[in-house]
Amino acid sequence: MSFRRWRIAKSDKMLSRSVAQRFGIDGFAAHLLTSRGFCSDELITDMLGLEDDTADFIDPFEIIDMDKAVSRIRRAIDGFEKIAIYGDYDVDGVTSTALLYSYLETVGANVMYYIPDREGEGYGLNCKAVDLLHEMDINLIITVDNGISAVNEVAHAKSLGMDVVITDHHQEGDALPDAIAVVDPHRKECRCRFKEYAGVGVAFKLVCALEGDSMTVMENCGDLVALGTVADVVSLTGENRRLVRLGLRYLQDSCRPGLSSLIDMAGFTGKTITSTSIAFIIAPRLNAAGRLGKASHAVKLLITDDDEEAFALAEELTAKNRERQAIEQVIDSEVSEMLEKDMSVLYDRVIVIAGEKWNGGVIGIFASRICERYGKPCFIISYDGQKAKGSGRSIEGFSLYEAISACSEQLTGFGGHTLAAGINLKTENIDAFRRAINEYARRKFPVMPSPELNIDCQLPPSAVNLQLCEASQLLEPFGADNPTPMIAVMGLHLTDIYGAGGGKHQRLTLERGGTIITAMKFATYDEDFPFKVGDVVDIAVTLDKSTYRGRDSLTLVVRDIRLSVTQFEEINGGKQLFEKMMRGEALTDDETNELRPTRSILGTVYRAASEGYRGEAEVLGCRMKRMGVSFAALLTSLRILSEGGLLEFVDEGTIIYVEAAERGDNTAKISPEKTPTALRVGYTNI
């Protein structure tokens, strides 16, 4: 089960009014700026793009070691030395590689590129690759989007007589590689006024330093800069904002045959390309090359001038993306089967799920899905023989890097950040790792952090209109640190529900105070939508403007919906208490009493649940509360009835399924008081 706490941003009306008047903008746009911390004139000017985007960029030589890098690369160009660009297999890595390769080839350098294989080599510089490049008589290696931690690998290259220039955007470790230059704005000594570049942003600054004209470089490769910056989910503030805003203009009419073919195959030709388009349409197709094939093919697609080759490569990446989706479905089915047999893993503070020979390029995506679905930190591990590798994702408030650092004895290698991490371990240690990371979570968090939905403001339905949407567009492009605006509308009477798209989506009609609005809940089947006409609900929506035959219209897209009577703390507290019991942890007398259902409650839950329920657990919880059943007692009752063979109960995170068990002659029935959960809480059939 996953519930999100709604966090509505605080409003400083006087400040917002002042900003609106000074900058001549709509009050809603001013509220968005100030509530997100963009309060100074400089920040507001930057966010609104009021300065000429073609004005001077930040001097690339502000980044530490840029002068050393430029000097060595120019010497290699002039001497026609063999240069290898060493990239990475994600979108940031391939766009960085394509950008630097294209430039160096244009100025006559003797250059090639190398992308490590995700499965065979993994992330970053490795000694086998260095040896291979040495055999190819490479004199200079330039890393992009990696290298800051390659201390041993750079030392190995140096021992072979090869020079290395590192360009990266990740945090430095305890020691820096002994390279000719380490160009990374996150180095402690770096005094660059902006540090949040993606790898492609650092590569862009390197090319700007080599060329001496940032705008010319932007005109030639702005599409690549926008792609890599958005795909890597770095902060869309500061200079990144200019890079993406300008880059989107060049991407809209990209002169790269490969990108044009890819966009066409995605069905996006002629449509406005935004940061959202990159994140959900273009980036997954480019990423598919590195996940299931060769990331070098994505680089080829970005640099080719041949229309036929571009079309063939776009077809290949599109097919790989479909294959990736199919593999995800297979893993999803296997995980569902595992959880149907044993739901205990869902009660852990940190979910750890392992499967044999799951594709290493897909497990990160699936870890994100499980984390979102269950609202918990998660690791998906693939094992093959004695070796295993895992990918983790987390929620705000729980640092994966700190967690795996505390469990390092169980691992052969690890790395990552607060919300995403990767691990390597022996297959025999998977269970030990699961226990260790959950023990760390128990010590660190008596109550685990909960997922949150950040909402920009609460408005009456009469205030939600097309003008609001147009005002919010002043803050585009949206992305990290500047998300798509979210609005809450409370206390709406649900007057009509219409299944659209063959029942795959729900069109809702809602009313309050005489104002009627419609909203779309996408990707929600009829049978999974637990709300009824007559319910009073709160909705959290984003605003989407579309144009048809010259007329603009507004669509409210529902991102979350709840009954207005929902009390998050009560629901979440009941869930946490239930899971504590299911983990076998010691309970106080008060906690046991809260969990233990009476015979009457058990009967009430059985009668309600046996009619069938599909939808969010908290909605069922609110309906049962009206019948005198707390959420903790509801979950305990469902578990007892399921263990007793009276109900089928499946928890799929955001959705639960409950129905009466089939009454075949061979169906095993257990008296409720004898089930494992009843024994835990001391239930007696009285």
Side-chain angles (χ1 to χ4, degrees):
M1 288 158 283
S2 175
F3 322 118
R4 293 188 288 183
R5 178 187 283 106
W6 289 20
R7 291 287 193 194
I8 301 177
K10 295 180 179 178
S11 173
D12 186 332
K13 293 182 179 179
M14 290 186 62
L15 179 59
S16 296
R17 191 177 297 117
S18 172
V19 168
Q21 291 173 349
R22 291 204 323 274
F23 289 88
I25 60 175
D26 185 272
F28 180 58
H31 164 76
L32 291 174
L33 288 165
T34 57
S35 65
R36 294 178 177 192
F38 306 115
C39 300
S40 70
D41 286 5
E42 180 182 359
L43 287 174
I44 293 170
T45 297
D46 176 62
M47 290 301 295
L48 296 178
L50 298 179
E51 285 189 345
D52 184 1
D53 279 333
T54 62
D56 290 340
F57 288 85
I58 292 174
D59 185 349
F61 288 98
E62 284 189 16
I63 303 179
I64 194 168
D65 277 5
M66 185 66 80
D67 54 341
K68 298 177 183 177
V70 168
S71 176
R72 180 63 184 91
I73 293 169
R74 282 179 175 163
R75 180 155 57 89
I77 295 171
D78 294 341
F80 206 62
E81 297 179 56
K82 296 191 76 172
I83 303 170
I85 301 167
Y86 194 101
D88 186 29
Y89 38 69
D90 66 3
V91 177
D92 191 17
V94 299
T95 52
S96 302
T97 303
L99 189 157
L100 185 55
Y101 175 84
S102 297
Y103 173 76
L104 291 177
E105 186 183 48
T106 300
V107 297
N110 184 7
V111 62
M112 54 90 71
Y113 59 85
Y114 184 93
I115 307 290
D117 177 71
R118 181 190 291 265
E119 289 296 307
E121 297 174 86
Y123 169 79
L125 200 60
N126 67 82
C127 289
K128 287 186 178 180
V130 170
D131 289 337
L132 177 62
L133 294 174
H134 179 254
E135 291 173 6
M136 299 170 68
D137 297 324
I138 295 296
N139 304 110
L140 174 63
I141 298 172
I142 307 173
T143 71
V144 289
D145 192 30
N146 73 94
I148 191 69
S149 60
V151 175
N152 295 332
E153 293 78 8
V154 170
H156 181 60
K158 190 174 182 180
S159 72
L160 296 174
M162 305 164 72
D163 286 341
V164 180
V165 166
I166 290 169
T167 74
D168 202 349
H169 71 119
H170 296 99
Q171 299 287 339
E172 66 177 291
D174 295 333
L176 285 175
D178 185 19
I180 295 294
V182 181
V183 182
D184 188 330
H186 282 293
R187 283 181 56 186
K188 296 180 181 67
E189 305 93 336
C190 185
R191 296 293 177 261
C192 183
R193 73 189 85 166
F194 184 72
K195 296 179 177 291
E196 303 305 319
Y197 298 105
V200 72
V202 179
F204 167 76
K205 301 304 282 189
L206 172 63
V207 173
C208 291
L210 288 164
E211 180 64 16
D213 184 351
S214 296
M215 198 57 220
T216 297
V217 178
M218 193 68 198
E219 289 171 355
N220 291 328
C221 64
D223 50 356
L224 297 179
V225 177
L227 272 176
T229 300
V230 172
D232 214 51
V233 202
V234 292
S235 177
L236 285 194
T237 58
E239 189 161 87
N240 278 347
R241 193 161 180 77
R242 284 184 66 199
L243 295 179
V244 173
R245 195 160 46 216
L246 263 177
L248 285 172
R249 299 176 195 172
Y250 299 118
L251 183 59
Q252 188 68 50
D253 298 302
S254 178
C255 60
R256 300 178 194 276
L259 271 180
S260 297
S261 294
L262 198 66
I263 291 168
D264 182 54
M265 289 180 191
F268 226 71
T269 301
K271 298 180 182 179
T272 301
I273 296 176
T274 65
S275 54
T276 303
S277 311
I278 291 175
F280 294 100
I281 304 297
I282 304 173
R285 287 163 170 77
L286 286 171
N287 260 329
R291 295 189 189 282
L292 301 180
K294 294 183 177 180
S296 58
H297 289 194
V299 178
K300 283 184 183 179
L301 176 130
L302 295 174
I303 64 176
T304 184
D305 291 324
D306 184 274
D307 289 339
E308 289 187 7
E309 183 181 39
F311 183 83
L313 288 166
E315 271 194 325
E316 177 188 334
L317 266 61
T318 300
K320 289 293 182 186
N321 192 52
R322 287 195 295 267
E323 182 183 348
R324 184 264 304 171
Q325 293 169 332
I327 291 172
E328 285 181 48
Q329 290 177 354
V330 171
I331 296 176
D332 203 344
S333 297
E334 291 183 14
V335 169
S336 295
E337 288 180 12
M338 291 179 185
L339 297 179
E340 283 183 19
K341 294 176 182 176
D342 180 13
M343 290 175 60
S344 63
V345 65
L346 298 180
Y347 305 131
D348 285 343
R349 290 173 171 84
V350 180
I351 294 175
V352 178
I353 301 174
E356 187 173 9
K357 296 183 179 178
W358 284 344
N359 187 282
V362 172
I363 58 175
I365 297 175
F366 198 71
S368 296
R369 184 178 299 175
I370 294 294
C371 178
E372 172 74 16
R373 186 181 296 171
Y374 292 99
K376 292 184 176 185
C378 168
F379 275 92
I380 301 296
I381 298 175
S382 174
Y383 60 88
D384 186 359
Q386 297 303 309
K387 293 183 178 180
K389 63 183 296 185
S391 187
R393 298 294 184 271
S394 190
I395 62 174
E396 290 291 343
F398 187 93
S399 170
L400 279 190
Y401 189 78
E402 289 181 11
I404 57 178
S405 297
C407 305
S408 59
E409 291 183 1
Q410 311 298 333
L411 306 174
T412 57
F414 65 91
H417 307 285
T418 300
L419 299 180
I423 58 173
N424 292 292
L425 67 166
K426 294 179 180 178
T427 301
E428 63 189 32
N429 288 337
I430 292 175
D431 286 340
F433 170 71
R434 176 187 172 186
R435 290 191 297 270
I437 197 167
N438 274 284
E439 174 59 21
Y440 164 83
R442 185 192 66 79
R443 294 194 313 268
K444 183 85 172 178
F445 299 95
V447 177
M448 284 289 285
S450 299
E452 295 185 346
L453 182 68
N454 293 314
I455 297 173
D456 290 287
C457 65
Q458 178 183 333
L459 293 173
S462 58
V464 183
N465 51 37
L466 189 59
Q467 180 184 351
L468 208 65
C469 180
E470 292 170 343
S472 69
Q473 290 175 335
L474 290 174
L475 274 72
E476 287 188 346
F478 298 119
D481 294 334
N482 182 43
T484 302
M486 187 89 66
I487 297 166
V489 189
M490 309 295 205
L492 294 162
H493 291 266
L494 184 54
T495 60
D496 189 39
I497 304 169
Y498 175 75
K504 295 179 181 178
H505 318 295
Q506 306 302 312
R507 180 182 290 117
L508 312 178
T509 304
L510 307 116
E511 182 273 337
R512 193 185 99 189
T515 299
I516 298 174
I517 61 174
T518 58
M520 290 297 301
K521 182 74 169 67
F522 290 107
T524 302
Y525 285 90
D526 294 341
E527 59 269 24
D528 292 339
F529 191 68
F531 299 91
K532 306 172 184 177
V533 170
D535 283 340
V536 180
V537 300
D538 304 332
I539 59 174
V541 298
T542 53
L543 311 177
D544 185 26
K545 184 177 81 168
S546 57
T547 303
Y548 181 69
R549 293 184 177 178
R551 294 187 61 184
D552 294 335
S553 61
L554 175 67
T555 300
L556 305 185
V557 181
V558 177
R559 302 301 180 183
D560 203 1
I561 178 171
R562 66 186 187 186
L563 292 172
S564 293
V565 296
T566 302
Q567 298 293 321
F568 176 84
E569 298 303 336
E570 179 182 335
I571 293 286
N572 192 55
K575 174 199 172 205
Q576 299 249 10
L577 181 55
F578 172 74
E579 292 184 345
K580 180 179 180 180
M581 173 194 66
M582 294 304 297
R583 291 193 294 266
E585 297 175 12
L587 301 172
T588 66
D589 290 342
D590 287 344
E591 289 174 333
T592 302
N593 289 333
E594 185 177 345
L595 286 160
R596 183 192 300 125
T598 63
R599 181 179 181 181
S600 174
I601 285 176
L602 202 65
T604 299
V605 172
Y606 175 73
R607 285 189 294 275
S610 61
E611 295 177 1
Y613 178 83
R614 298 162 68 93
E616 288 84 355
E618 65 266 35
V619 177
L620 179 60
C622 289
R623 300 200 192 283
M624 296 304 297
K625 184 181 178 183
R626 297 171 186 166
M627 302 179 190
V629 182
S630 73
F631 195 64
L634 168 63
L635 296 179
T636 306
S637 298
L638 289 173
R639 186 71 185 182
I640 289 173
L641 293 166
S642 175
E643 291 171 351
L646 297 171
L647 289 180
E648 297 288 344
F649 174 41
V650 178
D651 180 358
E652 291 198 355
T654 50
I655 298 290
I656 64 168
Y657 302 92
V658 185
E659 61 184 6
E662 294 183 6
R663 295 183 176 274
D665 293 338
N666 297 323
T667 303
K669 297 291 189 297
I670 303 173
S671 298
E673 67 270 19
K674 295 181 180 179
T675 63
T677 299
L679 294 173
R680 284 191 181 103
V681 296
Y683 170 80
T684 56
N685 195 13
I686 299 174

